[in-house]
Amino acid sequence: MKFTRNEAYNSINTTKEWDVTIIGGGATGLGIAVDAASRGYKTLLVEMYDFAKGTSSKSTKLVHGGVRYLANGDIKLVKSALKERGLIFQNAPHVSFVQSFVIPSYSTFNKLKFLIGLKFYDWMAGKLRIGKSTLLNKNEVLNKIPKVKEKGLKGGIQYYDGQFDDARLAINLAQTAVEHGATVLNYAEVTQIAKDSSGKVNGLSFLDKTTDQVYTVKTKALINATGIFVDEILKLDTATHQNLVRPSQGAHIVIDKKFLGNEDALMIPETSDGRVLFGVPWHGKVLLGTTDTPLHENQIEPRPLEEEIQFILNTANDYLENAPTREDVLSIFAGLRPLAAPKHGDGNSTKEISRDHKLLKSDSDLITITGGKWTTYRKMGEETVDMAIKTAGLESRKCQTHHLAIHGSTREKRTGRWQVYGSDLQAIQALSQMDPTLYEKLHESYDYTAAEVIWACRNEMIVKVEDFLARRTRLLLLDAKASLEAAPVVARIMAKETNKDEEWITKEIHEYEQLVKKYTI
C-alpha cells in the first residue's frame, strides 16, 4: 500500500474491523503502529495534526540514555534507553549518528567526578557501546571546542552519545508501518469513542480536517498515545477524568555553527539552575537547549518563554567566547513533555519526576501510554502492543521490531541534507533528471530543491506548507526567516502538484506567516 491519503481512505472504507487502532502520530503512536503492523495485526493510526507536529519534532535531537537521569539515580531508565539507542543505530542508520560530546571542566574534582559517571554510562551500554569516555587536557578541549572559555579551564571529558533527526525518523516510522500493512492518517481528529453494551471500547469517530467529513471505525483494541493530550482523549472515555499529566516545556535556540567551532558537541553538566544544557551541531547549525519549565496548559505550538531564551543565552555566555546574542538567533522552538501531574509537594518541581513511560488501562479497556522519551519509542511500542493483545484477546504474536529495518535504512553515507533520505535518495534525484526545473532551489541560501517538495507530496503525505518546511525538511527550525521566504515557492509547487487554487496558496502563506512568529525573537 502506498503512503498516501487516498490509499489510507480506501483501506478505512473497506475494513470492517481493526485489530489495533492508535490515536496519536508522534514517536510513541508511530512506534506502536510499526510494532502492531509488523506482528500482522490490522492496524490503524489517526493523528489530529501532522505526524510529529508536537513534541516529537521539537526534541534536543539526541538519541541517548540520559546522562542527567543517571545523575538522578534512574538506572533502569538509562540502561533501557542505552539499549534502545543501539537498536536505533542498527535499524535507522540513515537518520541517526554517533556524536562526540565534550564537557569542559573548570575544577579538577568535577573532571574526575564526571569521568567516573561517564565510564559507568559506557559500561551500562554493554555490547551496544558506541564510544569510550576519555579525559582531555586543556589544549585538547580547546582543539575540539575552539570557542569555549579558556580562563580557568582544567581540561574536560569526551564521551559519545547519539544524535538524530526526530521528524524524519517519525515519517520513516509511518512509512514502515504502512509497508507492513498499517493504515496511517494525519489531520484526522478523534471526536468520539464508541463502546459496546458492557461499556468496553469498540471503535471511534474522527473528523478529516481537510474535508470536514466524519468517519466511524470499529476496533478490538484502542490505544491513546497522544502525549501531552492524553487527558483530552481520556475525557472522551470518562467525562469526570482527572488529569494524569501536566506539561513541562523544553526550549531551544538555533545559532550559526561558528559560535561553537568544530564537529564536537558541548555538554554543560551543571547550569545555574542545576540542569544540563547542550550545544549540538545539527544540519549545519548549532542547537542550544534545553530548559525544563512547568506549564499549566497544553499547546500544540508552544513558544519559548522570554526567561528561557535569556537563560540559554546567559548559560552560553558563561562558557563560550564571543557568545551569541539575541541578534544571532536564527530560530527558537519548544516542545512540551507529558510529565506526571503532581499529587503532593512542590507542583513546580520537575527534576524528580521520572521520564519513564507508564501504561494504563481504563475500566473501558482503553489503553493509555504516557511519558517516555524518543529514544525508547520502540520498547514503548512493544509493551503497549503486548498489553493490547491481552486486553482485546488478540492472537498472541511475538514482537518483530528489535531488528526491523526502518524505511530508508542504509549505511551508505551522503553529504548534507541528502543523508536523511536514506535509500529514497535515488528516486528523488531521478525526479530532477526527468524534469530539470525541479533542480530549482527553494531559497538562495539553502540547498533544498523543488524535487523534494514533489517527492513529499507524492510519498510523504504532506497537506500543508508547514508540513514540508517544518518536518519533511527542517528549514523552519534551522532558519525561521529563510523558511518564510521559501514558503511562497513551496506553496506554488504544492498547489500545482495537488491541484489547489490561488485561494489555497494565499491561505497557506498567511497561516505560515503566523506560525513563523512563534519561531522568531
Side-chain angles (χ1 to χ4, degrees):
M1 188 169 73
K2 289 185 178 180
F3 184 55
T4 66
R5 295 180 67 78
N6 285 341
E7 288 280 346
Y9 277 115
N10 286 340
S11 178
I12 288 168
N13 290 329
T14 57
T15 301
K16 291 183 179 180
E17 186 179 40
W18 301 90
D19 293 324
V20 177
T21 297
I22 303 141
I23 309 170
T28 307
L30 292 166
I32 296 166
V34 170
D35 188 288
S38 62
R39 294 197 207 195
Y41 298 120
K42 282 186 182 177
T43 304
L44 172 66
L45 179 147
V46 289
E47 160 59 42
M48 180 176 177
Y49 301 102
D50 184 31
F51 306 110
K53 176 176 168 65
T55 309
S56 294
S57 62
K58 295 164 184 168
S59 72
T60 314
K61 321 307 178 193
L62 300 181
V63 185
H64 63 145
V67 174
R68 169 183 160 190
Y69 310 143
L70 184 61
N72 290 345
D74 206 339
I75 305 296
K76 177 174 171 282
L77 173 61
V78 174
K79 189 168 184 178
S80 172
L82 287 171
K83 176 186 175 183
E84 295 301 320
R85 179 189 71 178
L87 295 181
I88 289 175
F89 285 147
Q90 288 180 12
N91 298 335
H94 61 300
V95 289
S96 59
F97 318 91
V98 175
Q99 174 68 55
S100 161
F101 289 78
V102 173
I103 304 176
S105 184
Y106 298 84
S107 156
T108 301
F109 173 77
N110 280 347
K111 184 168 67 169
L112 295 174
K113 178 181 75 173
F114 296 139
L115 179 65
I116 292 169
L118 288 164
K119 286 289 187 183
F120 185 53
Y121 189 66
D122 292 344
W123 175 80
M124 288 176 69
K127 293 179 180 179
L128 294 172
R129 189 179 77 176
I130 58 174
K132 182 180 178 183
S133 298
T134 55
L135 277 176
L136 302 176
N137 62 36
K138 177 179 176 179
N139 289 335
E140 288 171 327
V141 171
L142 291 172
N143 183 53
K144 291 180 178 299
I145 309 283
K147 303 300 182 181
V148 76
K149 284 193 173 178
E150 185 174 354
K151 185 177 179 182
L153 183 66
K154 304 293 186 184
I157 300 102
Q158 180 179 29
Y159 76 99
Y160 295 87
D161 227 326
Q163 188 200 60
F164 77 138
D165 188 311
D166 48 11
R168 288 302 310 179
L169 178 53
I171 199 67
N172 289 159
L173 289 174
Q175 292 166 314
T176 305
V178 169
E179 288 163 1
H180 286 85
T183 296
V184 301
L185 188 67
N186 53 3
Y187 295 98
E189 178 182 359
V190 172
T191 55
Q192 188 175 12
I193 290 175
K195 298 178 182 179
D196 62 20
S197 57
S198 60
K200 302 300 185 183
V201 292
N202 66 356
L204 58 75
S205 297
F206 70 86
L207 172 72
D208 180 343
K209 295 172 74 173
T210 70
T211 63
D212 288 334
Q213 186 171 342
V214 175
Y215 294 81
T216 298
V217 299
K218 290 190 172 185
T219 190
K220 295 174 183 174
L222 184 59
I223 297 166
N224 173 15
T226 52
I228 58 168
F229 297 108
V230 293
D231 288 314
E232 279 80 343
I233 299 301
L234 284 164
K235 285 169 185 173
L236 288 179
D237 177 50
T238 305
T240 57
H241 166 76
Q242 297 294 308
N243 284 358
L244 281 175
V245 304
R246 68 173 298 183
S248 170
Q249 179 159 289
H252 305 79
I253 68 173
V254 178
I255 55 176
D256 192 274
K257 63 181 180 180
K258 70 182 180 182
F259 291 103
L260 194 58
N262 295 329
E263 298 303 312
D264 297 274
L266 171 69
M267 197 273 232
I268 300 170
E270 293 177 348
T271 62
S272 60
D273 71 346
R275 302 189 188 279
V276 168
L277 194 82
F278 293 97
V280 186
W282 190 65
H283 288 312
K285 308 295 184 187
V286 167
L287 183 153
L288 295 175
T290 183
T291 59
D292 202 349
T293 308
L295 299 180
H296 295 283
E297 62 179 14
N298 293 328
Q299 303 174 56
I300 189 61
E301 278 293 353
R303 175 185 168 87
L305 304 174
E306 180 58 37
E307 54 263 38
E308 291 179 304
I309 296 169
Q310 204 54 53
F311 167 75
I312 294 172
L313 289 172
N314 288 345
T315 303
N317 187 57
D318 289 341
Y319 282 83
L320 298 175
E321 303 284 5
N322 303 312
T325 64
R326 295 176 66 88
E327 289 70 32
D328 298 308
V329 175
L330 298 171
S331 186
I332 60 174
F333 67 93
L336 300 184
R337 309 175 190 90
L339 301 186
K343 290 183 170 57
H344 53 78
D346 182 4
N348 286 322
S349 175
T350 64
K351 292 182 184 180
E352 305 307 320
I353 298 175
S354 174
R355 264 40 174 192
D356 212 347
H357 58 278
K358 292 180 176 62
L359 261 173
L360 309 163
K361 186 178 72 168
S362 303
D363 291 340
S364 66
D365 284 350
L366 172 66
I367 296 168
T368 295
I369 182 164
T370 184
K373 55 203 292 267
W374 237 122
T375 308
T376 57
Y377 85 87
R378 190 213 61 80
K379 186 172 188 290
M380 291 158 65
E382 178 182 356
E383 292 181 9
T384 306
V385 174
D386 284 346
M387 179 180 277
I389 292 168
K390 293 176 183 177
T391 301
L394 302 177
E395 178 188 336
S396 182
R397 297 169 186 164
K398 287 185 178 180
C399 174
Q400 303 294 314
T401 58
H402 286 83
H403 305 292
L404 183 71
I406 302 304
H407 178 92
S409 176
T410 177
R411 296 198 175 277
E412 187 176 342
K413 296 300 179 185
R414 274 82 176 224
T415 57
R417 77 195 189 288
W418 291 125
Q419 173 64 34
V420 296
Y421 284 110
S423 59
D424 284 336
L425 175 58
Q426 289 181 325
I428 299 170
Q429 292 178 332
L431 284 175
S432 299
Q433 291 166 0
M434 292 169 60
D435 181 359
T437 65
L438 298 184
Y439 282 115
E440 174 194 358
K441 290 172 69 170
L442 305 176
H443 188 281
E444 61 182 4
S445 300
Y446 294 89
D447 291 334
Y448 303 112
T449 65
E452 292 169 80
V453 184
I454 299 295
W455 175 261
C457 286
R458 295 177 185 176
N459 301 283
E460 295 184 346
M461 208 182 279
I462 57 171
V463 172
K464 302 177 68 61
V465 167
E466 170 200 338
D467 301 341
F468 179 80
L469 288 170
R471 289 172 292 280
R472 305 308 185 274
T473 63
R474 311 313 306 276
L475 189 53
L476 174 60
L477 272 62
L478 296 169
D479 190 333
K481 290 179 181 176
S483 80
L484 181 57
E485 292 166 2
V489 180
V490 173
R492 294 203 168 275
I493 296 169
M494 286 181 66
K496 183 178 179 182
E497 177 66 22
T498 58
N499 298 313
K500 297 292 193 296
D501 58 17
E502 285 291 331
E503 182 180 354
W504 181 88
I505 294 173
T506 301
K507 180 172 179 287
E508 280 294 308
I509 293 172
H510 174 71
E511 288 184 3
Y512 193 72
E513 287 173 347
Q514 300 307 306
L515 177 67
V516 168
K517 291 178 181 178
K518 292 180 177 287
Y519 289 77
T520 50
I521 294 181

